[in-house]
Amino acid sequence: MTEIIWGLGTSHVPSIGAAMDNEKAQDEYWKPLFDGYAPAREWMAENTPDVAVIIYNDHANALGLEMIPTFAIGTDDHFNVADEGYGPRKVPNVRGHAEMSEHILVQLVNDGFDMTVCQELDVDHGLTVPLSVYCPEPGEQWPCQVIPILVNVLQYPQPTAQRCLALGEALGRAIRSFPGDLKVAVFGTGGMSHQLSGARAGLINEKFDREFLRDIKENPERLAALTREDYIREAGSEGLEMIMWLIMRGAIGDDIERVHETYHVPASNTAAALTLFAPVTAS
Ligand code: DHB
Ligand code: FE
């Protein structure tokens, strides 16, 4: 039976990737953030998935503002690292899992989620930084294949948090019904509170973030009931990215334990967090 072996919520701040790429992770500014990742990284390294389903948002790199799918899935077996203006990050390109992504696509559409299909996709920091958070030194290739799931968190009307949680539940069913014995990890990326431009640029709301971190495990329904305006008011315009964590939470289900959590302000303009969940296994 294909199973979900862990769920990771993590920020995707581009400079976290740049710090690793430019060997600055041990600098005074970055060390506390990376020290916070260490126990989770160790645990994940001992629990390597075959496939990671990564819920993320493209930042107008692969998809411009001409076409804005609410939810999309990358179905290729190869995704190049996007050039975001300074040349692609020097990390391996990403191997997809065409067969499993096709299965997830069909199941989700049958379940009422009419996904846009990306048969070609360059993946930006929204996906590659979380991969680096998981695996800082991939060598020649990432340790797992990747299925990208994209969410519009940039342009009004973004999907509701409620719809994200429901998509996650459908995604969990789709993953578990894939024939075979694969081990799958699900990543929810983005957040936490941050706003990159406008009068409120630099906004951080630690209280909101801490309550989100608590309730992403204990009470996802409360987080799903918040409106997009609630997220933007409390967590900033880009803080709305946090709704993507609800897709991860819906997919892994309720019978979970928290393996590790860390919260650090600031990483660039953002409150950076990591939370790692694993299913409670009957012993
Ligand atoms: C930053 C954070 C993001 O989520 C992003 O997509 C780009 C930049 C930042 O804090 O610099
Ligand atoms: Fe972002």
Side-chain angles (χ1 to χ4, degrees):
M1 203 189 77
T2 294
E3 53 175 341
I4 298 176
I5 58 167
W6 45 265
L8 178 73
T10 177
S11 307
H12 63 215
V13 180
S15 53
I16 294 176
M20 281 183 260
D21 300 346
N22 298 303
E23 290 173 14
K24 293 187 185 305
Q26 290 307 308
D27 285 11
E28 194 184 333
Y29 181 88
W30 289 108
K31 190 175 182 315
L33 174 92
F34 290 105
D35 285 352
Y37 289 166
R41 281 174 157 174
E42 250 171 63
W43 189 94
M44 291 185 286
E46 286 164 11
N47 293 274
T48 307
D50 300 299
V51 181
V53 177
I54 302 188
I55 325 297
Y56 83 108
N57 68 294
D58 177 75
H59 299 74
N61 288 304
L63 303 166
L65 292 179
E66 310 84 25
M67 279 178 254
I68 307 170
T70 302
F71 296 123
I73 181 168
T75 55
D76 206 350
D77 55 17
H78 181 94
F79 305 99
N80 283 331
V81 173
D83 181 350
E84 301 186 44
Y86 299 92
R89 285 187 64 205
K90 292 194 174 33
V91 292
N93 286 321
V94 173
R95 290 172 297 137
H97 193 307
E99 199 186 333
M100 187 171 189
S101 52
E102 190 69 25
H103 171 84
I104 290 174
L105 168 65
V106 172
Q107 296 303 311
L108 288 179
V109 172
N110 288 350
D111 226 343
F113 290 89
D114 304 320
M115 308 293 289
T116 296
V117 181
C118 301
Q119 308 214 63
E120 239 185 75
L121 178 69
D122 287 356
V123 288
D124 77 1
H125 68 268
L127 185 139
T128 65
V129 169
L131 270 179
S132 295
V133 169
Y134 155 47
C135 177
E137 286 176 19
E140 291 294 303
Q141 69 177 27
W142 297 107
C144 56
Q145 288 159 283
V146 170
I147 297 178
I149 293 193
L150 299 96
V151 182
N152 165 37
V153 292
L154 295 186
Q155 187 73 17
Y156 181 85
Q158 301 90 341
T160 63
Q162 197 79 60
R163 190 71 174 148
C164 288
L165 185 61
L167 171 61
E169 288 162 2
L171 176 64
R173 290 191 288 276
I175 292 170
R176 292 186 187 94
S177 65
F178 185 68
D181 285 312
L182 293 188
K183 295 190 187 324
V184 177
V186 181
F187 290 40
T189 73
M192 301 198 85
S193 57
H194 65 301
Q195 173 148 338
L196 299 178
S197 60
R200 297 200 311 157
L203 174 145
I204 299 286
N205 184 346
E206 177 161 355
K207 180 169 183 294
F208 181 84
D209 290 342
R210 296 265 183 206
E211 289 169 358
F212 185 95
L213 282 170
R214 180 193 66 209
D215 284 347
I216 190 76
K217 176 169 186 290
E218 304 297 339
N219 192 357
E221 286 75 19
R222 183 185 73 81
L223 303 177
L226 300 177
T227 64
R228 69 174 73 78
E229 291 77 11
D230 291 331
Y231 278 95
I232 291 171
R233 186 188 335 100
E234 296 298 325
S237 47
E238 281 76 28
L240 179 63
E241 290 174 347
M242 288 154 90
I243 62 173
M244 295 187 288
W245 292 35
L246 283 165
I247 301 176
M248 174 275 288
R249 177 61 176 79
I252 55 172
D254 288 333
D255 208 5
I256 51 171
E257 61 191 358
R258 201 186 294 266
V259 178
H260 184 67
E261 178 183 295
T262 185
Y263 181 78
H264 176 80
V265 179
S268 182
N269 294 295
T270 301
L274 174 153
T275 192
L276 176 62
F277 296 118
V280 178
T281 44
S283 53

